[in-house]
Amino acid sequence: MNYSDYKLSIDLRIDWSDLDMYKHVNNLTFIRFMQTGRALFWEATGLTKIYEATHRGPMMVSTHCDFKKSLYYPGNAIVKTKLAFIKNSSFGLDHIILNEDMEVCAEGRDIAVCFDFNLNKTYTIPDNLREIMKKY
């Protein structure tokens, strides 16, 4: 499978504490891995700095994960993230989580809205931010 459209990637070490009673990576850990991919996107696009400067930024409204294959300790997980869609005030991120053999272990999607925490309401994604987001 070609992953070239996933512009963001991070390798994460699987820790013993990530395991469940069946001795494979716990389902919740997959969600945490997706969170790391999401944070990478927020940092790459400047969403984190925008929030710090203006108190306006993304708010998660949905997350979904389909589990395909188990991950085990010791090992690494590779999280790849890309922009799935962008609308007026919302956007989606697709994630794939791979093992070290580049086998897909999970596929996920996050949906966030751009939220003004000062006014307690969503806002339209500005064109300049939209263009930056589309690069990923």
Side-chain angles (χ1 to χ4, degrees):
M1 182 175 214
N2 183 0
Y3 304 113
S4 62
D5 54 339
Y6 288 83
K7 303 297 184 204
L8 298 170
S9 182
I10 189 166
D11 292 4
L12 301 174
R13 189 183 102 172
I14 297 170
D15 290 322
W16 185 83
S17 61
D18 293 330
L19 306 183
D20 60 19
M21 64 187 252
Y22 303 114
K23 298 186 179 178
H24 56 65
V25 172
N26 183 289
N27 293 350
L28 184 58
T29 301
F30 281 82
I31 302 298
R32 187 172 50 81
F33 289 168
M34 289 171 41
Q35 180 183 34
T36 301
R38 181 170 62 247
L40 189 62
F41 179 85
W42 291 0
E43 290 170 7
T45 58
L47 285 166
T48 302
K49 286 185 179 181
I50 292 169
Y51 174 77
E52 290 169 352
T54 67
H55 212 52
R56 294 174 62 177
M59 180 191 327
M60 289 293 299
V61 295
S62 176
T63 191
H64 177 86
C65 186
D66 291 322
F67 306 101
K68 305 291 186 180
K69 190 174 182 87
S70 295
L71 284 168
Y72 298 95
Y73 173 87
N76 291 295
I78 303 156
V79 181
K80 295 188 174 289
T81 301
K82 70 175 182 174
L83 182 71
F85 67 85
I86 189 166
K87 294 185 177 180
N88 187 43
S89 62
S90 67
F91 62 94
L93 299 177
D94 281 343
H95 308 278
I96 52 171
I97 300 173
L98 308 162
N99 62 21
E100 292 171 308
D101 294 326
M102 299 303 285
E103 298 170 314
V104 176
C105 296
E107 297 174 342
R109 176 167 281 186
D110 294 327
I111 300 174
V113 296
C114 286
F115 197 79
D116 187 327
F117 293 89
N118 303 297
L119 302 175
N120 221 20
K121 66 178 190 174
T122 61
Y123 67 91
T124 301
I125 300 170
D127 289 339
N128 62 331
L129 178 57
R130 185 178 300 272
E131 291 307 310
I132 292 169
M133 292 169 73
K134 286 179 181 178
K135 293 177 183 178
Y136 299 95

